[in-house]
Amino acid sequence: MQFRSPGPFFIILTLLSAHAMCQSLKPGLEGMSPSKWLTIRRTQAPGKTYRFNSTDTKRFTQEEYFMRAWVPLVHSKKVAVLLGPNYRAEQLEFKSSGENPVSHMEGWNLRTFALDLNSIVKLDSSSWFIFTSQINKSGDFGRLLWKEIPMNYTLSASFLRRKSVNKEVGLGVMMNKSFKITVLPVFIFNYNFSNNAGLEMILPKKIAFRKNLTPSDIIYFKSEAVSRTYYLNQLNSDALGVCRRVDIDMGMSYNRKIGNYAGVEIFAGYRKNVSNRLIEGAVPVRTSGFAGTIELYVQPPKFKKKH
């Protein structure tokens, strides 16, 4: 796989926005994408090529499946807490002739089991505290036992304030512990240029320009960081190894609401590899190229307000 230790600026944050929060508590501007209560996503990035131990170049397609569901734990006028179990499976699908030099990473063995816990505290009509956390185990579950894979976690805390009907600004901090500990600042900026266009920014994760074609159709031109870390056995060694890649997805996505309960989002663009931590014996030849994603989602159920 395409891995090398990443620059910390591009580490993926857990969900910093409160898109999954109930409508009465949720920050966000008019026209932003709908909340996603249940998400099923498939991603493909074909054309990855590597050389292994001076052999011929081998070609792979990178495939990923992701699923997450949010479960409300607390819902009141001032506080909402959500629990989000999620699962990701990834593989390199061998596309060249001959023997696959990374056969031990085939067969949906690269998996992530994670649990998100997000909460939001409404201070007044225009201010919120947003807290997020995630714990996960990510690795080659085909060769490693659950207890052999270290636990990773991410924590963040942000303050968000709505300056006007068309502008929100937030600041915060996050800490990530995977194979090392990283602390980063967080900057949130949402701004509507008009009734049907806006900017959505969560740094260091995402920058997106939004165009609302209709109340149900949104087009985004965006740049978003994509980071993956997996623990696995090293080749010819019993020691635990770490594989990590950091990419930037740049392109266009189309979000379509289907009634009041569901929707679909499609992304197509260029995946630029930023850094790699490679498996032993692998030399990257071509690590950037096309990436496409299709996502189906269910919008959250409506909560009745308490009187």
Side-chain angles (χ1 to χ4, degrees):
M1 299 197 69
Q2 34 174 327
F3 299 102
R4 194 183 346 148
S5 70
F9 184 77
F10 297 102
I11 290 180
I12 286 287
L13 303 177
T14 51
L15 294 173
L16 289 171
S17 61
H19 288 318
M21 298 298 175
C22 62
Q23 194 66 36
S24 61
L25 285 167
K26 186 180 81 171
L29 303 181
E30 186 70 25
M32 295 177 68
S33 60
S35 303
K36 298 173 182 179
W37 175 56
L38 175 65
T39 301
I40 302 174
R41 182 190 307 139
R42 181 187 180 186
T43 301
Q44 278 203 321
K48 312 289 180 166
T49 56
Y50 307 92
R51 186 178 294 113
F52 298 86
N53 297 320
S54 300
T55 63
D56 294 337
T57 296
K58 302 294 184 178
R59 182 168 58 90
F60 300 84
T61 290
Q62 189 179 320
E63 289 189 318
E64 177 183 299
Y65 287 88
F66 174 80
M67 294 176 285
R68 178 175 57 211
W70 289 104
V71 180
L73 300 181
V74 177
H75 173 254
S76 68
K77 293 182 179 179
K78 294 291 185 180
V79 178
V81 179
L82 294 172
L83 186 68
N86 56 89
Y87 168 80
R88 183 174 69 240
E90 184 173 341
Q91 72 171 359
L92 285 177
E93 185 180 12
F94 188 52
K95 295 295 184 179
S96 298
S97 60
E99 183 180 354
N100 184 353
V102 288
S103 58
H104 68 293
M105 298 181 71
E106 275 192 313
W108 303 112
N109 292 330
L110 296 179
R111 300 173 183 175
T112 299
F113 297 88
L115 195 63
D116 294 333
L117 184 67
N118 288 4
S119 61
I120 182 169
V121 178
K122 185 176 182 179
L123 303 178
D124 54 41
S125 61
S126 61
S127 300
W128 299 266
F129 275 125
I130 302 171
F131 303 96
T132 73
S133 62
Q134 184 194 75
I135 56 173
N136 73 77
K137 286 201 171 191
S138 183
D140 183 0
F141 281 89
R143 290 177 175 258
L144 294 173
L145 299 176
W146 176 270
K147 64 181 181 180
E148 295 178 291
I149 297 177
M151 185 76 73
N152 298 329
Y153 63 84
T154 302
L155 306 172
S156 75
S158 302
F159 172 75
L160 182 66
R161 184 170 183 82
R162 182 174 294 146
K163 296 287 189 176
S164 69
V165 69
N166 288 319
K167 183 168 69 173
E168 289 180 336
V169 178
L171 292 173
V173 64
M174 63 85 66
M175 180 177 68
N176 171 270
K177 185 270 178 186
S178 51
F179 63 99
K180 63 179 181 179
I181 294 178
T182 304
V183 178
L184 292 173
V186 174
F187 177 65
I188 305 170
F189 183 72
N190 297 320
Y191 183 74
N192 279 345
F193 301 107
S194 64
N195 292 333
N196 58 5
L199 172 67
E200 300 176 22
M201 182 185 301
I202 306 174
L203 296 179
K205 177 179 170 58
K206 181 180 75 171
I207 299 176
F209 293 93
R210 167 176 45 83
K211 178 67 174 180
N212 299 79
L213 303 179
T214 72
S216 299
D217 300 271
I218 305 174
I219 289 180
Y220 282 97
F221 298 91
K222 67 179 183 178
S223 177
E224 186 169 1
V226 180
S227 175
R228 300 288 182 260
T229 300
Y230 295 103
Y231 292 93
L232 69 163
N233 283 331
Q234 299 186 51
L235 298 179
N236 305 316
S237 174
D238 293 331
L240 194 65
V242 176
C243 291
R244 187 173 181 87
R245 78 168 188 273
V246 179
D247 301 317
I248 302 294
D249 282 353
M250 299 172 288
M252 184 177 72
S253 67
Y254 169 67
N255 186 299
R256 168 71 178 179
K257 288 177 59 179
I258 303 174
N260 294 321
Y261 303 101
V264 60
E265 186 165 328
I266 301 172
F267 169 82
Y270 186 79
R271 174 167 287 183
K272 172 62 179 176
N273 180 242
V274 176
S275 59
N276 298 292
R277 183 186 179 99
L278 291 164
I279 62 172
E280 182 182 351
V283 178
V285 177
R286 182 173 182 265
T287 58
S288 300
F290 171 80
T293 297
I294 182 167
E295 176 181 299
L296 303 176
Y297 63 87
V298 177
Q299 297 177 59
K302 301 297 183 181
F303 293 94
K304 295 181 179 180
K305 292 184 178 181
K306 295 181 178 180
H307 299 286

